[in-house]
Amino acid sequence: MTVYRGFDQQELDREYSPSTRAADFDAELAAYAAESRRALRELPGHRELRYGPDAPELLDYFPAARPGAPLHVFVHGGFWQELGKEDSAFPALDLVPHGTAFAAVGYGLAPRWTVERIVEQTTSAVRWLVDHAAELGADPERIVLSGSSAGAHLAASALLDERLRGRIRGAALLSGVYDLEPVALSYVNQPLGLDPARAAALSPLRAGRAALAALPPVVLALGEHETDEFGRQQAEFAEALREAGVPVHELLVGGRNHFDLVFDLGKVGTVLGAAVEALWRS
């Protein structure tokens, strides 16, 4: 029985199981945690900061050595139900030594928190960082927002907030999910509990041209070893952004998969790292 775009249930579930295209995703997730612990140990000046009253509304902030540095804000993935900021500090190991401040955003996870509340939390975190960037020693005119997988969805959703219009220099969205209709039809939805109306309302791809037109320049990146659905999601979002007049730099990164692509986010000499740096230099 066809469930979505010619996929039966088993096929659709496989399309939204990016681990099927990764050789050892458990090792890559373990590396997130290990390298994040190393960032917390080795990088000076780390602060855990609260951006809201609820327990998960915390972020980890790593200042650059010099004041007035650009700020990179990262939103982790995990299908809105896994991982945390404690697994998300590792890009700071590349970014901070090269003069960029870094913040890893924490948020609540499903099923305790709805996707709507998770979007609200992420958006609040980004607004808080924009409002407090100067006092944290960062340049409020040079803030780049990034996210991976569900984090790319959350970052894109935050960019649609009217209070952030014109306040983010650029965005880097990796292996993202921008239309939640197929997610609501897959195994991923079990802890999320999305119905078709909520899935549509939460989909940046369906925000409309006028709303998307307010987004800053966007890097959209995908690993070579991803499922077809993640490729389709990126291609359709790229098309919608271009139709809205948003500058888009679309990347397909050779040798990378859904989980290890993010390791290039701040690395000098990588295609993705160069594209991200160009966002705040423009």
Side-chain angles (χ1 to χ4, degrees), residues 78-82 109-116 118 150 180 183-195 198 202:
F79 273 153
W80 308 273
Q81 60 197 273
E82 295 180 294
L109 301 177
R112 169 67 180 83
W113 302 89
T114 66
V115 178
E116 287 89 346
I118 296 169
L180 270 56
V183 171
L185 295 170
S186 77
Y187 78 98
V188 179
N189 196 42
Q190 185 172 354
L192 306 181
L194 295 174
D195 59 31
R198 290 175 60 214
L202 287 161

PDB file of all heavy atoms in Angstrom, residues 78-82 109-116 118 150 180 183-195 198 202:
ATOM      1  N   GLY A  78      18.486  15.129  15.857  1.00  0.00           N
ATOM      2  CA  GLY A  78      18.014  14.042  16.701  1.00  0.00           C
ATOM      3  C   GLY A  78      16.525  13.804  16.570  1.00  0.00           C
ATOM      4  O   GLY A  78      15.901  13.220  17.465  1.00  0.00           O
ATOM      5  N   PHE A  79      15.938  14.257  15.436  1.00  0.00           N
ATOM      6  CA  PHE A  79      14.505  14.063  15.161  1.00  0.00           C
ATOM      7  C   PHE A  79      13.631  14.586  16.294  1.00  0.00           C
ATOM      8  O   PHE A  79      12.619  13.977  16.639  1.00  0.00           O
ATOM      9  CB  PHE A  79      14.203  12.597  14.857  1.00  0.00           C
ATOM     10  CG  PHE A  79      14.381  12.227  13.406  1.00  0.00           C
ATOM     11  CD1 PHE A  79      14.696  10.926  13.052  1.00  0.00           C
ATOM     12  CD2 PHE A  79      14.225  13.163  12.395  1.00  0.00           C
ATOM     13  CE1 PHE A  79      14.842  10.560  11.711  1.00  0.00           C
ATOM     14  CE2 PHE A  79      14.367  12.812  11.058  1.00  0.00           C
ATOM     15  CZ  PHE A  79      14.684  11.518  10.715  1.00  0.00           C
ATOM     16  N   TRP A  80      14.020  15.714  16.886  1.00  0.00           N
ATOM     17  CA  TRP A  80      13.257  16.406  17.936  1.00  0.00           C
ATOM     18  C   TRP A  80      13.098  15.559  19.197  1.00  0.00           C
ATOM     19  O   TRP A  80      12.353  15.917  20.096  1.00  0.00           O
ATOM     20  CB  TRP A  80      11.865  16.815  17.439  1.00  0.00           C
ATOM     21  CG  TRP A  80      11.866  17.584  16.166  1.00  0.00           C
ATOM     22  CD1 TRP A  80      11.990  18.941  16.010  1.00  0.00           C
ATOM     23  CD2 TRP A  80      11.721  17.049  14.842  1.00  0.00           C
ATOM     24  NE1 TRP A  80      11.951  19.274  14.678  1.00  0.00           N
ATOM     25  CE2 TRP A  80      11.767  18.135  13.938  1.00  0.00           C
ATOM     26  CE3 TRP A  80      11.531  15.761  14.334  1.00  0.00           C
ATOM     27  CZ2 TRP A  80      11.664  17.976  12.560  1.00  0.00           C
ATOM     28  CZ3 TRP A  80      11.438  15.593  12.964  1.00  0.00           C
ATOM     29  CH2 TRP A  80      11.495  16.691  12.095  1.00  0.00           C
ATOM     30  N   GLN A  81      13.837  14.458  19.314  1.00  0.00           N
ATOM     31  CA  GLN A  81      13.622  13.518  20.424  1.00  0.00           C
ATOM     32  C   GLN A  81      14.904  12.955  21.016  1.00  0.00           C
ATOM     33  O   GLN A  81      14.842  12.190  21.989  1.00  0.00           O
ATOM     34  CB  GLN A  81      12.709  12.370  19.964  1.00  0.00           C
ATOM     35  CG  GLN A  81      13.271  11.574  18.802  1.00  0.00           C
ATOM     36  CD  GLN A  81      12.237  10.729  18.107  1.00  0.00           C
ATOM     37  OE1 GLN A  81      11.989   9.597  18.513  1.00  0.00           O
ATOM     38  NE2 GLN A  81      11.619  11.263  17.061  1.00  0.00           N
ATOM     39  N   GLU A  82      16.048  13.323  20.472  1.00  0.00           N
ATOM     40  CA  GLU A  82      17.313  12.794  20.975  1.00  0.00           C
ATOM     41  C   GLU A  82      18.379  13.884  20.972  1.00  0.00           C
ATOM     42  O   GLU A  82      18.202  14.951  20.403  1.00  0.00           O
ATOM     43  CB  GLU A  82      17.799  11.620  20.102  1.00  0.00           C
ATOM     44  CG  GLU A  82      16.905  10.405  20.124  1.00  0.00           C
ATOM     45  CD  GLU A  82      17.444   9.291  19.245  1.00  0.00           C
ATOM     46  OE1 GLU A  82      17.491   9.468  18.019  1.00  0.00           O
ATOM     47  OE2 GLU A  82      17.823   8.243  19.804  1.00  0.00           O
ATOM     48  N   LEU A 109      12.842  17.890  24.528  1.00  0.00           N
ATOM     49  CA  LEU A 109      12.707  16.801  23.571  1.00  0.00           C
ATOM     50  C   LEU A 109      11.318  16.167  23.660  1.00  0.00           C
ATOM     51  O   LEU A 109      10.697  16.129  24.717  1.00  0.00           O
ATOM     52  CB  LEU A 109      13.769  15.728  23.830  1.00  0.00           C
ATOM     53  CG  LEU A 109      15.236  16.182  23.756  1.00  0.00           C
ATOM     54  CD1 LEU A 109      16.153  15.016  24.117  1.00  0.00           C
ATOM     55  CD2 LEU A 109      15.578  16.738  22.393  1.00  0.00           C
ATOM     56  N   ALA A 110      10.859  15.665  22.507  1.00  0.00           N
ATOM     57  CA  ALA A 110       9.619  14.903  22.466  1.00  0.00           C
ATOM     58  C   ALA A 110       9.863  13.536  23.122  1.00  0.00           C
ATOM     59  O   ALA A 110      10.979  13.028  23.086  1.00  0.00           O
ATOM     60  CB  ALA A 110       9.176  14.730  21.019  1.00  0.00           C
ATOM     61  N   PRO A 111       8.838  12.946  23.738  1.00  0.00           N
ATOM     62  CA  PRO A 111       7.438  13.392  23.762  1.00  0.00           C
ATOM     63  C   PRO A 111       7.091  14.370  24.872  1.00  0.00           C
ATOM     64  O   PRO A 111       5.965  14.842  24.928  1.00  0.00           O
ATOM     65  CB  PRO A 111       6.671  12.075  23.938  1.00  0.00           C
ATOM     66  CG  PRO A 111       7.599  11.241  24.765  1.00  0.00           C
ATOM     67  CD  PRO A 111       8.981  11.574  24.280  1.00  0.00           C
ATOM     68  N   ARG A 112       8.049  14.664  25.760  1.00  0.00           N
ATOM     69  CA  ARG A 112       7.753  15.607  26.850  1.00  0.00           C
ATOM     70  C   ARG A 112       7.365  16.969  26.302  1.00  0.00           C
ATOM     71  O   ARG A 112       6.495  17.656  26.860  1.00  0.00           O
ATOM     72  CB  ARG A 112       8.983  15.724  27.771  1.00  0.00           C
ATOM     73  CG  ARG A 112       8.933  16.859  28.799  1.00  0.00           C
ATOM     74  CD  ARG A 112       7.860  16.641  29.839  1.00  0.00           C
ATOM     75  NE  ARG A 112       7.827  17.716  30.810  1.00  0.00           N
ATOM     76  CZ  ARG A 112       7.212  18.885  30.653  1.00  0.00           C
ATOM     77  NH1 ARG A 112       6.555  19.122  29.525  1.00  0.00           N
ATOM     78  NH2 ARG A 112       7.227  19.810  31.598  1.00  0.00           N
ATOM     79  N   TRP A 113       7.987  17.380  25.197  1.00  0.00           N
ATOM     80  CA  TRP A 113       7.737  18.689  24.607  1.00  0.00           C
ATOM     81  C   TRP A 113       7.205  18.504  23.191  1.00  0.00           C
ATOM     82  O   TRP A 113       7.703  17.675  22.443  1.00  0.00           O
ATOM     83  CB  TRP A 113       9.020  19.528  24.584  1.00  0.00           C
ATOM     84  CG  TRP A 113       9.607  19.722  25.945  1.00  0.00           C
ATOM     85  CD1 TRP A 113      10.504  18.915  26.569  1.00  0.00           C
ATOM     86  CD2 TRP A 113       9.312  20.775  26.855  1.00  0.00           C
ATOM     87  NE1 TRP A 113      10.807  19.401  27.813  1.00  0.00           N
ATOM     88  CE2 TRP A 113      10.086  20.550  28.024  1.00  0.00           C
ATOM     89  CE3 TRP A 113       8.491  21.907  26.808  1.00  0.00           C
ATOM     90  CZ2 TRP A 113      10.057  21.394  29.122  1.00  0.00           C
ATOM     91  CZ3 TRP A 113       8.453  22.746  27.896  1.00  0.00           C
ATOM     92  CH2 TRP A 113       9.219  22.497  29.040  1.00  0.00           C
ATOM     93  N   THR A 114       6.211  19.278  22.818  1.00  0.00           N
ATOM     94  CA  THR A 114       5.686  19.222  21.461  1.00  0.00           C
ATOM     95  C   THR A 114       6.662  19.879  20.493  1.00  0.00           C
ATOM     96  O   THR A 114       7.509  20.691  20.896  1.00  0.00           O
ATOM     97  CB  THR A 114       4.335  19.939  21.360  1.00  0.00           C
ATOM     98  OG1 THR A 114       4.541  21.347  21.607  1.00  0.00           O
ATOM     99  CG2 THR A 114       3.323  19.380  22.341  1.00  0.00           C
ATOM    100  N   VAL A 115       6.517  19.564  19.230  1.00  0.00           N
ATOM    101  CA  VAL A 115       7.376  20.206  18.230  1.00  0.00           C
ATOM    102  C   VAL A 115       7.133  21.716  18.230  1.00  0.00           C
ATOM    103  O   VAL A 115       8.075  22.508  18.068  1.00  0.00           O
ATOM    104  CB  VAL A 115       7.149  19.603  16.834  1.00  0.00           C
ATOM    105  CG1 VAL A 115       8.017  20.301  15.793  1.00  0.00           C
ATOM    106  CG2 VAL A 115       7.454  18.106  16.844  1.00  0.00           C
ATOM    107  N   GLU A 116       5.890  22.148  18.435  1.00  0.00           N
ATOM    108  CA  GLU A 116       5.611  23.587  18.502  1.00  0.00           C
ATOM    109  C   GLU A 116       6.414  24.261  19.614  1.00  0.00           C
ATOM    110  O   GLU A 116       6.996  25.328  19.402  1.00  0.00           O
ATOM    111  CB  GLU A 116       4.107  23.822  18.742  1.00  0.00           C
ATOM    112  CG  GLU A 116       3.226  23.533  17.539  1.00  0.00           C
ATOM    113  CD  GLU A 116       2.759  22.096  17.460  1.00  0.00           C
ATOM    114  OE1 GLU A 116       3.323  21.236  18.185  1.00  0.00           O
ATOM    115  OE2 GLU A 116       1.845  21.813  16.669  1.00  0.00           O
ATOM    116  N   ILE A 118       9.164  23.106  20.967  1.00  0.00           N
ATOM    117  CA  ILE A 118      10.587  23.024  20.631  1.00  0.00           C
ATOM    118  C   ILE A 118      10.964  24.144  19.665  1.00  0.00           C
ATOM    119  O   ILE A 118      12.028  24.768  19.807  1.00  0.00           O
ATOM    120  CB  ILE A 118      10.916  21.636  20.048  1.00  0.00           C
ATOM    121  CG1 ILE A 118      10.691  20.551  21.098  1.00  0.00           C
ATOM    122  CG2 ILE A 118      12.350  21.586  19.549  1.00  0.00           C
ATOM    123  CD1 ILE A 118      10.739  19.131  20.554  1.00  0.00           C
ATOM    124  N   ALA A 150      16.952  17.610  12.123  1.00  0.00           N
ATOM    125  CA  ALA A 150      15.849  18.330  12.759  1.00  0.00           C
ATOM    126  C   ALA A 150      16.295  19.709  13.218  1.00  0.00           C
ATOM    127  O   ALA A 150      15.488  20.643  13.281  1.00  0.00           O
ATOM    128  CB  ALA A 150      15.305  17.533  13.940  1.00  0.00           C
ATOM    129  N   LEU A 180       7.179  18.531   6.896  1.00  0.00           N
ATOM    130  CA  LEU A 180       6.960  17.500   7.901  1.00  0.00           C
ATOM    131  C   LEU A 180       5.855  16.505   7.549  1.00  0.00           C
ATOM    132  O   LEU A 180       5.596  15.575   8.310  1.00  0.00           O
ATOM    133  CB  LEU A 180       6.662  18.143   9.260  1.00  0.00           C
ATOM    134  CG  LEU A 180       7.888  18.422  10.140  1.00  0.00           C
ATOM    135  CD1 LEU A 180       8.916  19.281   9.443  1.00  0.00           C
ATOM    136  CD2 LEU A 180       7.482  19.033  11.476  1.00  0.00           C
ATOM    137  N   VAL A 183       7.240  13.031   7.511  1.00  0.00           N
ATOM    138  CA  VAL A 183       7.654  12.684   8.875  1.00  0.00           C
ATOM    139  C   VAL A 183       6.453  12.202   9.680  1.00  0.00           C
ATOM    140  O   VAL A 183       6.522  11.217  10.422  1.00  0.00           O
ATOM    141  CB  VAL A 183       8.313  13.898   9.556  1.00  0.00           C
ATOM    142  CG1 VAL A 183       8.546  13.636  11.039  1.00  0.00           C
ATOM    143  CG2 VAL A 183       9.628  14.246   8.868  1.00  0.00           C
ATOM    144  N   ALA A 184       5.318  12.899   9.523  1.00  0.00           N
ATOM    145  CA  ALA A 184       4.102  12.536  10.257  1.00  0.00           C
ATOM    146  C   ALA A 184       3.538  11.194   9.821  1.00  0.00           C
ATOM    147  O   ALA A 184       2.734  10.596  10.550  1.00  0.00           O
ATOM    148  CB  ALA A 184       3.053  13.628  10.079  1.00  0.00           C
ATOM    149  N   LEU A 185       3.960  10.707   8.670  1.00  0.00           N
ATOM    150  CA  LEU A 185       3.490   9.419   8.158  1.00  0.00           C
ATOM    151  C   LEU A 185       4.470   8.288   8.445  1.00  0.00           C
ATOM    152  O   LEU A 185       4.205   7.134   8.104  1.00  0.00           O
ATOM    153  CB  LEU A 185       3.257   9.518   6.640  1.00  0.00           C
ATOM    154  CG  LEU A 185       2.150  10.477   6.200  1.00  0.00           C
ATOM    155  CD1 LEU A 185       2.193  10.659   4.688  1.00  0.00           C
ATOM    156  CD2 LEU A 185       0.788   9.962   6.635  1.00  0.00           C
ATOM    157  N   SER A 186       5.599   8.614   9.051  1.00  0.00           N
ATOM    158  CA  SER A 186       6.666   7.633   9.266  1.00  0.00           C
ATOM    159  C   SER A 186       6.767   7.247  10.741  1.00  0.00           C
ATOM    160  O   SER A 186       6.102   7.811  11.610  1.00  0.00           O
ATOM    161  CB  SER A 186       8.004   8.212   8.800  1.00  0.00           C
ATOM    162  OG  SER A 186       8.507   9.139   9.761  1.00  0.00           O
ATOM    163  N   TYR A 187       7.663   6.301  11.018  1.00  0.00           N
ATOM    164  CA  TYR A 187       7.918   5.856  12.392  1.00  0.00           C
ATOM    165  C   TYR A 187       8.389   6.989  13.288  1.00  0.00           C
ATOM    166  O   TYR A 187       8.213   6.946  14.521  1.00  0.00           O
ATOM    167  CB  TYR A 187       8.965   4.738  12.385  1.00  0.00           C
ATOM    168  CG  TYR A 187      10.375   5.256  12.207  1.00  0.00           C
ATOM    169  CD1 TYR A 187      11.220   5.437  13.299  1.00  0.00           C
ATOM    170  CD2 TYR A 187      10.855   5.606  10.938  1.00  0.00           C
ATOM    171  CE1 TYR A 187      12.503   5.940  13.138  1.00  0.00           C
ATOM    172  CE2 TYR A 187      12.123   6.105  10.773  1.00  0.00           C
ATOM    173  CZ  TYR A 187      12.946   6.277  11.872  1.00  0.00           C
ATOM    174  OH  TYR A 187      14.206   6.792  11.713  1.00  0.00           O
ATOM    175  N   VAL A 188       9.004   8.016  12.701  1.00  0.00           N
ATOM    176  CA  VAL A 188       9.534   9.139  13.478  1.00  0.00           C
ATOM    177  C   VAL A 188       8.430   9.823  14.278  1.00  0.00           C
ATOM    178  O   VAL A 188       8.667  10.407  15.334  1.00  0.00           O
ATOM    179  CB  VAL A 188      10.226  10.160  12.544  1.00  0.00           C
ATOM    180  CG1 VAL A 188      10.760  11.350  13.330  1.00  0.00           C
ATOM    181  CG2 VAL A 188      11.354   9.490  11.763  1.00  0.00           C
ATOM    182  N   ASN A 189       7.187   9.722  13.790  1.00  0.00           N
ATOM    183  CA  ASN A 189       6.080  10.462  14.394  1.00  0.00           C
ATOM    184  C   ASN A 189       5.580   9.857  15.702  1.00  0.00           C
ATOM    185  O   ASN A 189       4.801  10.504  16.412  1.00  0.00           O
ATOM    186  CB  ASN A 189       4.914  10.556  13.405  1.00  0.00           C
ATOM    187  CG  ASN A 189       3.903  11.607  13.801  1.00  0.00           C
ATOM    188  OD1 ASN A 189       4.261  12.710  14.220  1.00  0.00           O
ATOM    189  ND2 ASN A 189       2.625  11.284  13.684  1.00  0.00           N
ATOM    190  N   GLN A 190       6.008   8.663  16.041  1.00  0.00           N
ATOM    191  CA  GLN A 190       5.448   8.014  17.234  1.00  0.00           C
ATOM    192  C   GLN A 190       5.578   8.886  18.481  1.00  0.00           C
ATOM    193  O   GLN A 190       4.591   9.097  19.194  1.00  0.00           O
ATOM    194  CB  GLN A 190       6.092   6.651  17.452  1.00  0.00           C
ATOM    195  CG  GLN A 190       5.464   5.873  18.605  1.00  0.00           C
ATOM    196  CD  GLN A 190       5.973   4.447  18.677  1.00  0.00           C
ATOM    197  OE1 GLN A 190       6.711   3.982  17.816  1.00  0.00           O
ATOM    198  NE2 GLN A 190       5.581   3.743  19.721  1.00  0.00           N
ATOM    199  N   PRO A 191       6.757   9.453  18.791  1.00  0.00           N
ATOM    200  CA  PRO A 191       6.828  10.337  19.961  1.00  0.00           C
ATOM    201  C   PRO A 191       6.379  11.770  19.672  1.00  0.00           C
ATOM    202  O   PRO A 191       6.165  12.542  20.607  1.00  0.00           O
ATOM    203  CB  PRO A 191       8.310  10.300  20.333  1.00  0.00           C
ATOM    204  CG  PRO A 191       9.010  10.020  19.061  1.00  0.00           C
ATOM    205  CD  PRO A 191       8.085   9.146  18.250  1.00  0.00           C
ATOM    206  N   LEU A 192       6.240  12.133  18.404  1.00  0.00           N
ATOM    207  CA  LEU A 192       5.888  13.514  18.051  1.00  0.00           C
ATOM    208  C   LEU A 192       4.384  13.740  18.057  1.00  0.00           C
ATOM    209  O   LEU A 192       3.912  14.814  18.433  1.00  0.00           O
ATOM    210  CB  LEU A 192       6.455  13.868  16.669  1.00  0.00           C
ATOM    211  CG  LEU A 192       7.950  13.669  16.440  1.00  0.00           C
ATOM    212  CD1 LEU A 192       8.326  14.103  15.021  1.00  0.00           C
ATOM    213  CD2 LEU A 192       8.781  14.418  17.475  1.00  0.00           C
ATOM    214  N   GLY A 193       3.632  12.758  17.581  1.00  0.00           N
ATOM    215  CA  GLY A 193       2.184  12.852  17.569  1.00  0.00           C
ATOM    216  C   GLY A 193       1.626  13.911  16.642  1.00  0.00           C
ATOM    217  O   GLY A 193       0.572  14.500  16.919  1.00  0.00           O
ATOM    218  N   LEU A 194       2.285  14.147  15.516  1.00  0.00           N
ATOM    219  CA  LEU A 194       1.819  15.168  14.587  1.00  0.00           C
ATOM    220  C   LEU A 194       0.639  14.658  13.772  1.00  0.00           C
ATOM    221  O   LEU A 194       0.630  13.513  13.326  1.00  0.00           O
ATOM    222  CB  LEU A 194       2.949  15.567  13.627  1.00  0.00           C
ATOM    223  CG  LEU A 194       4.164  16.260  14.234  1.00  0.00           C
ATOM    224  CD1 LEU A 194       5.236  16.450  13.170  1.00  0.00           C
ATOM    225  CD2 LEU A 194       3.788  17.596  14.854  1.00  0.00           C
ATOM    226  N   ASP A 195      -0.359  15.525  13.561  1.00  0.00           N
ATOM    227  CA  ASP A 195      -1.410  15.241  12.599  1.00  0.00           C
ATOM    228  C   ASP A 195      -1.126  16.044  11.328  1.00  0.00           C
ATOM    229  O   ASP A 195      -0.208  16.882  11.319  1.00  0.00           O
ATOM    230  CB  ASP A 195      -2.796  15.548  13.175  1.00  0.00           C
ATOM    231  CG  ASP A 195      -2.969  16.997  13.597  1.00  0.00           C
ATOM    232  OD1 ASP A 195      -2.349  17.902  12.980  1.00  0.00           O
ATOM    233  OD2 ASP A 195      -3.726  17.253  14.550  1.00  0.00           O
ATOM    234  N   ARG A 198      -1.025  19.982  11.769  1.00  0.00           N
ATOM    235  CA  ARG A 198       0.132  20.471  12.538  1.00  0.00           C
ATOM    236  C   ARG A 198       1.422  20.299  11.750  1.00  0.00           C
ATOM    237  O   ARG A 198       2.300  21.168  11.770  1.00  0.00           O
ATOM    238  CB  ARG A 198       0.222  19.746  13.876  1.00  0.00           C
ATOM    239  CG  ARG A 198      -0.896  20.129  14.846  1.00  0.00           C
ATOM    240  CD  ARG A 198      -0.825  19.282  16.099  1.00  0.00           C
ATOM    241  NE  ARG A 198       0.448  19.453  16.794  1.00  0.00           N
ATOM    242  CZ  ARG A 198       1.068  18.484  17.469  1.00  0.00           C
ATOM    243  NH1 ARG A 198       0.553  17.257  17.523  1.00  0.00           N
ATOM    244  NH2 ARG A 198       2.206  18.733  18.070  1.00  0.00           N
ATOM    245  N   LEU A 202       3.908  23.439  10.673  1.00  0.00           N
ATOM    246  CA  LEU A 202       5.280  23.438  11.178  1.00  0.00           C
ATOM    247  C   LEU A 202       6.329  23.295  10.077  1.00  0.00           C
ATOM    248  O   LEU A 202       7.517  23.195  10.374  1.00  0.00           O
ATOM    249  CB  LEU A 202       5.453  22.294  12.183  1.00  0.00           C
ATOM    250  CG  LEU A 202       4.790  22.499  13.545  1.00  0.00           C
ATOM    251  CD1 LEU A 202       4.632  21.168  14.270  1.00  0.00           C
ATOM    252  CD2 LEU A 202       5.596  23.476  14.389  1.00  0.00           C
TER     253      LEU A 202
END
